[in-house]
Amino acid sequence: SIEQLAAARTAGAYVVDVREPQEYVGGHVPGAVLVPMSQLAARVGELPTDRPLYLICRSGNRSLQVTTALRSHGYDAVSVRGGTEAWIASGRPTVIGADV
């Protein structure tokens, strides 16, 4: 949930945005790392294995698919229900554009 993600971010969680780049620059969770679902297979080695991963997309469908795949490979992965839409609707900080 958005509340779990907010608490986890405070504790240094690793947040992965699985949307496409144009969606990401339109607004994303601060600190979220962009790894589009379409690139996941090629980039899975970039993901840390020593802490939980919070997967987020627009509404929660893609992140749930990615979470299922990552869990089957031993990752501690959590899908953020409601996605970026719910994060923005909650009034929490959002970054527009690419992170520097």
Side-chain angles (χ1 to χ4, degrees):
S1 73
I2 296 304
E3 291 74 25
Q4 288 174 312
L5 175 59
R9 279 188 66 248
T10 303
Y14 197 86
V15 182
V16 182
D17 193 317
V18 299
R19 298 175 299 159
E20 292 302 312
Q22 65 273 18
E23 295 175 282
Y24 179 82
V25 298
H28 59 271
V29 173
V33 177
L34 177 64
V35 181
M37 184 175 173
S38 61
Q39 297 175 15
L40 184 69
R43 296 182 58 194
V44 70
E46 298 173 25
L47 302 177
T49 56
D50 62 344
R51 56 185 162 151
L53 305 176
Y54 286 79
L55 289 297
I56 193 165
C57 62
R58 184 180 60 82
S59 63
N61 293 325
R62 286 174 282 182
S63 61
L64 186 57
Q65 291 176 33
V66 172
T67 296
T68 301
L70 288 174
R71 283 183 180 165
S72 73
H73 287 91
Y75 285 87
D76 181 1
V78 178
S79 178
V80 179
R81 192 172 58 247
T84 304
E85 286 183 340
W87 179 267
I88 293 169
S90 75
R92 289 181 168 84
T94 304
V95 175
I96 305 297
D99 285 332
V100 178

